[in-house]
Amino acid sequence: MAVTLPANTQVYLNAIAARRTLYELKPELPADVTLENIQQVVQSIIKNTPTALNSQENRAIILIGDAHKKVWDHVVKAIPGENGKKRPTSARDEAYGCVIFFTEQNTVKKFQQDYPAAASAFPVAASHTTGAVQINSWTALETLGLGCHLQHYNDAVREALNNYKIPESWTVNSQLSFGIPIKSAGPKLFIENPVTIFK
Ligand SMILES: Cc1cc2nc3c(=O)[nH]c(=O)nc-3n(C[C@H](O)[C@H](O)[C@H](O)COP(=O)(O)O)c2cc1C
């Protein structure tokens, strides 16, 4: 049974529901969106998305222009087969830019050393928190009117980033390409999946 929620809560839920995978993009920003807006959004999400024991191992960079093209061109060349090249080619040619999400592994190791009884939990928690950062960023960028899709060409992207002085300890988790969406997402099928209250 649907209940009426406070307006702020409903706005938040609407943003989550509106986030979709949008593959068909053009390499521009909406007229009222600047690169600094995108930077601010990702910066705020990195800062405020929680981490285990406030370990703060999430990192991100934004690539546009030549840097974006070079990294994706490297991925296109690294992936065998025409089929496999489809997504990286579209990221290179049709996205305006991308956000690359990382985990800073020295931080994770330090927490493992400092809390040995929980050592095995920190890499798992790091994986959870980067997922939260990625999906928070994806949702927020789409509220700016951008279209985004999430990819995982992590090894090839890491190789390509060797030109950009990214610390060795930053491991690549994913790439969120963004641009102006030129086609909306199709319908999405949902399973019956209720959240049950037990008393
Ligand atoms: C953790 C995660 C990993 C994903 N990896 C990829 C990926 O590597 N390539 C891709 O094209 N889409 C990827 N997606 C997009 C999903 O396929 C997509 O979110 C899902 O089908 C639901 O569609 P929607 O995003 O339109 O709601 C990923 C999504 C999530 C949440």
Side-chain angles (χ1 to χ4, degrees), residues 16-23 87 131 134-135 138 142 148-153 174-175 185-186 188 190:
I16 290 173
R19 181 224 48 81
R20 295 296 309 278
T21 293
L22 297 169
Y23 289 117
R87 290 283 175 238
Q134 292 167 44
I135 294 173
W138 189 351
E142 292 202 352
C148 306
H149 58 91
L150 189 70
Q151 302 299 331
H152 296 86
Y153 295 95
S174 70
Q175 306 82 49
K188 185 172 166 181
F190 294 96

Side-chain angles (χ1 to χ4, degrees), residues 13 15 33 65 96 103 105 124 132 135 142 154-155 173 178 185:
L13 294 181
V33 174
Y96 181 85
T103 298
Q105 295 296 343
V124 179
I135 294 173
E142 292 202 352
N154 299 344
D155 293 345
N173 296 318
F178 58 83

Side-chain angles (χ1 to χ4, degrees), residues 172-189:
V172 176
N173 296 318
S174 70
Q175 306 82 49
L176 187 68
S177 287
F178 58 83
I180 292 188
I182 54 178
K183 196 173 162 202
S184 53
K188 185 172 166 181
L189 293 176

Side-chain angles (χ1 to χ4, degrees), residues 10 14 39 48 80 153:
Q10 196 57 57
N14 290 348
Q39 181 185 34
N48 294 308
Y153 295 95

Side-chain angles (χ1 to χ4, degrees), residues 98-151:
C98 63
V99 186
I100 316 260
F101 299 98
F102 303 85
T103 298
E104 203 288 292
Q105 295 296 343
N106 289 340
T107 306
V108 179
K109 281 186 203 139
K110 182 172 184 327
F111 275 77
Q112 289 184 289
Q113 282 157 8
D114 291 352
Y115 299 89
S120 64
F122 286 102
V124 179
S127 167
H128 293 180
T129 187
T130 183
V133 164
Q134 292 167 44
I135 294 173
N136 284 342
S137 299
W138 189 351
T139 304
L141 292 190
E142 292 202 352
T143 68
L144 288 176
L146 291 161
C148 306
H149 58 91
L150 189 70
Q151 302 299 331

Side-chain angles (χ1 to χ4, degrees), residues 41-51 54 56 58 133:
V41 163
V42 177
Q43 190 78 65
S44 173
I45 287 168
I46 291 271
K47 180 176 176 185
N48 294 308
T49 299
T51 51
N54 202 24
Q56 300 177 67
N58 289 311
V133 164

Side-chain angles (χ1 to χ4, degrees), residues 71 74-75 100 102-103 153-172 175:
V71 166
H74 180 86
V75 178
I100 316 260
F102 303 85
T103 298
Y153 295 95
N154 299 344
D155 293 345
V157 165
R158 181 67 244 193
E159 271 170 22
L161 288 175
N162 288 341
N163 301 327
Y164 294 96
K165 294 198 168 73
I166 306 297
E168 289 272 316
S169 60
W170 294 22
T171 50
V172 176
Q175 306 82 49

